[in-house]
Amino acid sequence: MLNKRKFKESVERNIRVNFLKTIKTASGQERYHAVVKTLMEEVVTHWQETNERHHNKKKACYFSAEFLMGRAFGNNLLNLGIYEEVKEVLNELEIDIDEVEKAEADAGLGNGGLGRLAACFLESCATMNLPVTGYGIRYHDGIFKQRFVDGFQVEEGDPWLAHGEPWSFRRSEDAVTVVFGDESVKAVPYDTPIIGYGNQTINTLRLWQGEPLINFDFNLFNEQRYDESVKEKNRAEDISRVLYPNDSKEEGKILRLKQQYFFVSASLQDLVKKYKETNGNEFEKFHQYHAIQLNDTHPVVAIPELMRILTDEEGLCWEKAWGITTKTFSYTNHTILTEALEKWDVKLYQKMLPRVYEIVKGIDEQFIEFLNEKSYEKKKIDQMKIISNGRINKAWLAIYGSHTINGVAEIHTNILKHKELKDWYELYPQKFQNKTNGITPRRWLALCNQELSALITALLNTEDWITDLSQLKKLEKHQYDDEVLKRFMAIKRTKKKQLAAYIFKKEGIQIDPNSIYNIQIKRLHEYKRQLLNAFHILDLYYELKENPDIQRTLRTFIFGAKAAPGYVRAKGIIKYINEVAKLVNNDPQMKDQMKVAFVENYNVSYGEKLFPAADLSEQISTVGKEASGTGNMKFMLNGSPTIGTNDGANIEIVQEAGEENNFIFGMKIEELQAMEDTYEPRAYYESVPGLKRVVDTLIDGTFDDGDTGMFQELYDSLLEGASWHKPDNYYLLKDFDDYREAQRKAEIAYADEIAWARKCWMNIANAGKFSSDRTITEYAKQIWHI
Ligand SMILES: *Cc1c(COP(=O)(O)O)cnc(C)c1O
């Protein structure tokens, strides 16, 4: 229970002592800061208690280069159980809670799904009262802000800390020194509370910031050599300056390698230091107190780094250290895209981290010896050894140095076992596990769709579903209750209207809540096939132009996606979709037929408005390429059927919710593998009705790419291929017709309102499996043993 009087006093006091103002005169930013400071007074007690409760217990550490947290304010109020009360108090103070929420910048310390997964996981761990700490980097700039200028993506910085960041504490006393070959930097941790839902557990996200050991060189300054005097400071601060804006592609940049070692070394030093304070030098038990999860290969340098600390600094022998290390680490694989499998350049590592490199070499030699003992053929050994062709294979190091490797959906884990990591699965079958991803139902339903949450709570007569999502199954019995379905449709309409208002305000595009909202929001990548979506829209456009009298259901196609700044083809696709949007939206004849809206700067907060308002969830990746997806789960939980391929977690979504309640099209993985080598995209281009017409708009002057050659290049990628891939590498032309058919089916199904609502409802009722609480329970029991 909130003490209202105390709360008000504290807000007023915080505004006074921090800003020398009153509530009336304070800005939105200042009010936000004062309210958060007030909340922190409540939080700190439980935070300390949780730390004490978890002290001297085994804990899990989630090492991740990305945490895509979004805003904390609403979620923290919800989880503290004081959302309504705080809203009331603020109201009494004449402060609008929405204004306070908006003042917070998104913590965009991640690119997409992988970083958002880390954020959902931390929230679930706290909600389940599990001792888990997140470790990462306090990037000064998060993922870039995206704008469109003449339909082209333009990137801007994201200085999310510019107005201060009231949730975190700087913990100077825990600062450590990270040593590189040619420099040393200070790593200073900032701790952010991760608040569990309704249980007073508050875990920690610890993010490291790079700082110089000495702030500036006084002598150089005195000699008026100003630039040089701050050189070391700049170099150190560069390490945590910016998140690399890339998704599913390796970045062989020195600074990125530095970032990885920086946060990993700082975190391990921190863990070892704390361990010694209670356990002294008895490192044999280190793994009994720590389970470290490596989120993808980004933090995999942790394996040789722990070896270095245990042998060089703590004096353990190699064998003992290796035993501890392999009992400590586990590794999550997130992708099979070859361009994403990171490799380190040996030369770079020798220069930057000479000692760590020697240890990697030692690990590799030990591994080769092990394979020799198993009588592996030389050819096999060459394929599996960790260092080869002047590069360190990070995935191999991760597998050898971990006790458990997991994929993130059934299909993905199977591809790992039987294809991508086949040799490794044969060597270590017992190491492989599946952990299908999940999302937190707090942010992705209870917070972002309060209307639907209230309906669910009313029907189930309890709020228990919020922490036990499998209870949604009990909603199935309402599937033939038209009253319930109508209430659901009314809520969907409310969310669609809210989104329409927001999109109009932000983008200046008017969309009609009576239309079908088709939404595809995710990073821009060829394998995710936003271009296929665009081709279908254009095909529909031409069909409507040719047959102006046919009555179709009004449709709105919504996109949200950032392209990595160096990914030229992805940027070409953005420009193309914006051109399609311009054509469609400026055609008066389309007014009552269709609309296209590509929203700028898709991020977590935008997602919270988009997912609840969707009628159709677009999940159309090339089969085998989307490891899991989590956006698909957010749509499902908010009651939108999926139009999608047999890929990633779509397969499990349909298993749960029923094929009849979704629109699945295209090949199964086996079918794709069977036709891979003989695929002729041109045959489809020539023969599928309407396909040539839309593909040719890339080159026939229908659209203008501002003389960049981007559209010609896209055309060539589909029909000619490029040095690094065969034509239509992602099977757009193959799947076009099936996709169009599925779209048609969805549109027809939508016309029967009650039948449609039932499909939506069945998706909600069967979304229980996709709670990250379920995923985390599996990690805790089967990998971390906490
Ligand atoms: C959930 C989420 C993602 C992941 O979406 P996918 O469709 O699974 O790729 C990416 N970005 C944001 C902001 C998200 O919330």
Side-chain angles (χ1 to χ4, degrees), residues 617-628:
S617 159
E618 292 274 347
Q619 307 300 336
I620 58 175
S621 55
T622 310
V623 162
K625 299 295 184 193
E626 188 75 270
S628 163

Side-chain angles (χ1 to χ4, degrees), residues 403-421:
H403 55 82
T404 306
I405 293 93
N406 76 284
V408 291
E410 293 289 350
I411 181 181
H412 170 60
T413 302
N414 284 331
I415 294 172
L416 292 180
K417 284 183 184 174
H418 304 299
K419 197 159 178 243
E420 268 355 273
L421 303 177

